[in-house]
Amino acid sequence: MLCMTDNALHAVEAQIREQAAAHCESSNIPGYVAGVYRAGEQIIVAHGTANIATGAPMLHDTGFLFGSVTKVLTTTLVLQQVDRGLLDLDTPVTKYLPELVLTAPGAADKILVRHLISHTNGIDADLFFPDAKGRDALRTYVSGLASNCGTLFEPGEQLSYSNGGMIVAGRLLEVVTGMPFPDLLQRDIYAPVGMKNSSTSAEQAILRSTAIGHFLDPETMAAKPTGMFMLPDTWGPAGSTPIGTIADLLAFGHTHLAGGVSPSGTRVLSAASTALMQQVSHDMATPNVPPMGLGWVRYPFGDTTVLAMSGASPGGVSILCVVPEHDLVFTAFGNNPGAIMLQDQMLQWLLSAHLGVQIPTLVTEVEQDVDLAPYVGTYRSNQLRIDVTVVDGQLEERTTYEPADESQERIFTEFAGGMTSAPPQRYVPIRPGLFAPAGYPLEAFDGYLRLLLVSFHDVRDGQARFRNGGGRLTRRI
């Protein structure tokens, strides 16, 4: 293991500052903030503008929406209740939460608590956006599942990134603790971890420096502020409402490095539960879907495992990475979705240049003679349709958003910055069942962007049952 000295941390700070400035300028990203913790020392770098409507600068302590990084916080809350004896991971959720009902009769009864936080629950609700606020928001979400959402697969059968599972977990926490989710997050995560500048509402965030998201104008390619700061309260446990700073996320990451003990020495989670979150709970055995722990996604970089979660918010993207083998935490936020490319570059640079990690090439070659017929067809999940055809010896995918109602369409359209459709995307075969977007160099998939690869699963009678893109499953219809 290499030692990152003070001089090395200075070099990290200088490199992050240089990379951020260059990438933000070339990609029209208004602002960026990142931090690194290593072996008791940390640095934070801020660049650019937090809000171009006001000209407010991005500062070291500027707050931002955590997005789906929240899912690791929610999972930590669940494991706390396991430590306290209030929950059992292998008990059906409906024992604690009888109000959980899906459109498929009896389907909810098969879902165990662990399925919610390992993304193996099968709840087909990834774009279900009920618009509700306040203390009953999660109750409203769960009650809406009964008439709006079914299942993609049997619990434990597959892995599919699940907003719905985490939101149900949030409501489960409310029921077993008797506390609203935001209050529980404040009491049991923010306070003991030392996340002093974290909150769960726009009303709280406006009292201090807070970044907003931005999208690129499709005509001018200039950044423009988002028209929606955050998703509805119903998505709180999946990532809509928590807001904090880089220092706060470094403290949370450090807590998971230290076996559940916060930087101040407070026991936040048992060592056993902290370790359990980091262990493989499900593995799809395909390069584009890393093995899943509980809450954490386990990205393999050669022999080194990076525990990670990224988070999208309206016009912004965050990331939290914990590398236990090297006592390192990396976290960042950029206020344009294109910042995910910069975060991927920084993570790989930290691993290779400063930790000496050998990052192998994930995709070394493509195959020419792959039978494409098993993958052709139409695949669906909640409000999303993907039509797969063969064009010029490649797969071509057309994705269509099919809103359930006006409210769903309004929320998703604002979340996506007005862009709800995309041109057809061609894919070249890497091997049977695995495809890369055409035109990308193969080395682009060595890091976090391996999620751009598409895989097909469970081929029966010459037809694949599932398509996986970005960690999310759609099912053949």
Side-chain angles (χ1 to χ4, degrees), residues 18 27 87 135 138 218 247 418 424 440 462:
E18 182 179 328
S27 302
L87 286 175
R135 297 175 70 91
L138 302 189
Y440 280 73

Side-chain angles (χ1 to χ4, degrees), residues 15-16 19-21 23-24 27 29 31-36 45 58 64-69 246 249 299 301 306 308-313 315-321 323 328-352 359 444 446-451:
Q15 178 67 19
I16 289 177
Q19 276 190 268
H23 190 91
C24 287
S27 302
I29 298 169
Y32 191 78
V33 59
V36 176
V45 174
M58 189 75 83
F64 53 88
L65 286 159
F66 291 162
S68 287
V69 170
I246 288 293
L249 286 185
Y299 283 84
F301 287 85
V306 175
M309 181 59 70
S310 63
S313 53
V317 62
S318 63
I319 194 169
L320 174 63
C321 300
V323 191
L328 181 132
V329 181
F330 166 65
T331 186
F333 170 79
N335 56 6
N336 175 271
I340 190 67
M341 304 284 288
L342 176 58
Q343 291 163 357
D344 186 32
Q345 293 170 12
M346 285 186 176
L347 173 61
Q348 290 194 64
W349 177 80
L350 279 169
L351 291 172
S352 60
I359 301 177
D446 292 345
Y448 206 80
L449 296 185
R450 66 189 71 187
L451 293 176

Side-chain angles (χ1 to χ4, degrees), residues 79-80 82-83 269-278:
L79 269 295
Q80 285 177 340
V82 172
D83 287 344
L269 189 64
S270 71
S273 289
T274 305
L276 183 62
M277 286 180 62
Q278 299 179 16

Side-chain angles (χ1 to χ4, degrees), residues 88-132:
D88 182 279
L89 290 177
D90 294 311
T91 294
V93 176
T94 51
K95 176 181 177 181
Y96 308 103
L97 191 64
E99 65 197 76
L100 176 62
V101 177
L102 301 171
T103 57
D109 299 334
K110 303 175 185 178
I111 301 172
L112 306 181
V113 174
R114 73 167 62 248
H115 291 145
L116 297 178
I117 54 177
S118 62
H119 300 271
T120 56
N121 52 79
I123 299 172
D124 188 12
D126 210 46
L127 294 180
F128 178 49
F129 293 106
D131 194 4

Side-chain angles (χ1 to χ4, degrees), residues 281-296:
S281 63
H282 197 93
D283 188 353
M284 293 282 282
T286 182
N288 60 313
V289 186
M292 179 64 66
L294 297 180
W296 293 112

Side-chain angles (χ1 to χ4, degrees), residues 87 105 210 401:
L87 286 175
T210 304
Y401 173 54

